[in-house]
Amino acid sequence: MHIAILTFEGYNELDSLIALGILNRVKRPDWRVSLAAPSDTVTSMNGVVVHAQASLEEASRADAVIVGSGMRTREVVADAALLGRLRLDPARQLIGAQCSGTLLLAKLGVLEGVPACTDLITKPWVQEAGVEVLNQPFFARGNVATAGGCLASQYLAAWVIARLAGLEAARDALHYVAPVGEKDDYVARAMGHVLPCLPSAEHSSEAALAAS
């Protein structure tokens, strides 16, 4: 199981690295989480250099892809050659995006007919691309999810884990990273955003468990 986090020049550390940390709480032999970039290294908006663990072509073959945001996303979506390296398909992949990463999904046509979440700065650009923007931190329909706000990366990570490894694994990952003394409330609030966006069978199972 390969989850790729698309990370471009000028990336936002809170998007790519928080998701990376939460997703890696799943400890399974077949579970791989990687930062996928267009070059060997990319530098964040605050000067943090990371080495790519996968290429964009590898990300296009991944089981799940999260598109991180950054200061240079508009340059990325204007680069036809760069976008041409991505072959994202919600029919065979889980696809999520954070903040300005939502703009990239809009430009790739992944969000056709699907409302989305993004940050307030990116909102008008996503709307110009013909996508309805929701005033909430997280939304998913089918295999496509988006999140708005840097700290909403927890919801994207939990959604991917819930879809690929189950609800218990998602709750466990969130519980691990939650602040001490707030863990139960933190997990409940986060899963409150994620559960309504899961396939109906999973959501119904969790609701029945909560009621028992």
Side-chain angles (χ1 to χ4, degrees), residues 8-53:
F8 300 96
E9 281 293 328
Y11 74 91
N12 186 326
E13 304 95 334
L14 293 175
D15 294 358
S16 292
L17 301 183
I18 289 177
L20 179 78
I22 295 175
L23 287 163
N24 270 313
R25 293 310 308 162
V26 176
K27 304 300 183 184
R28 296 191 341 191
D30 66 337
W31 191 267
R32 175 192 172 201
V33 185
S34 62
L35 296 179
S39 55
D40 291 340
T41 63
V42 286
T43 303
S44 78
M45 59 195 296
N46 293 305
V48 179
V49 179
V50 296
H51 291 265
Q53 300 166 300

Side-chain angles (χ1 to χ4, degrees), residues 167-168 171 191 195 198 201-211:
L167 291 170
E168 183 177 356
R171 287 193 297 267
M191 293 305 291
L195 282 171
L198 294 177
E202 296 178 25
H203 187 201
S204 298
S205 175
E206 177 70 7
L209 180 63

Side-chain angles (χ1 to χ4, degrees), residues 178 181-191:
E182 301 177 1
K183 288 185 178 292
D184 290 343
D185 290 342
Y186 182 100
V187 173
R189 179 173 180 175
M191 293 305 291

Side-chain angles (χ1 to χ4, degrees), residues 24-157:
N24 270 313
R25 293 310 308 162
V26 176
K27 304 300 183 184
R28 296 191 341 191
D30 66 337
W31 191 267
R32 175 192 172 201
V33 185
S34 62
L35 296 179
S39 55
D40 291 340
T41 63
V42 286
T43 303
S44 78
M45 59 195 296
N46 293 305
V48 179
V49 179
V50 296
H51 291 265
Q53 300 166 300
S55 66
L56 298 186
E57 288 75 17
E58 288 179 278
S60 295
R61 299 189 295 271
D63 301 283
V65 179
I66 292 177
V67 185
S69 74
M71 295 183 65
R72 298 177 61 178
T73 304
R74 295 183 81 186
E75 296 176 34
V76 171
V77 300
D79 188 333
L82 184 59
L83 292 186
R85 297 175 59 187
L86 292 169
R87 294 288 186 271
L88 304 185
D89 182 0
R92 60 179 176 81
Q93 298 171 302
L94 297 182
I95 301 175
Q98 177 88 20
C99 295
S100 66
T102 300
L103 179 62
L104 188 144
L105 293 191
K107 294 295 186 180
L108 289 175
V110 174
L111 296 176
E112 291 182 4
V114 180
C117 303
T118 189
D119 64 277
L120 298 181
I121 293 175
T122 309
K123 178 179 178 179
W125 305 330
V126 174
Q127 290 173 322
E128 288 174 5
V131 176
E132 176 190 357
V133 175
L134 303 173
N135 185 33
Q136 59 192 65
F138 177 80
F139 179 78
R141 178 180 292 168
N143 288 342
V144 178
T146 51
C150 298
L151 296 182
S153 53
Q154 61 186 310
Y155 306 138
L156 270 180

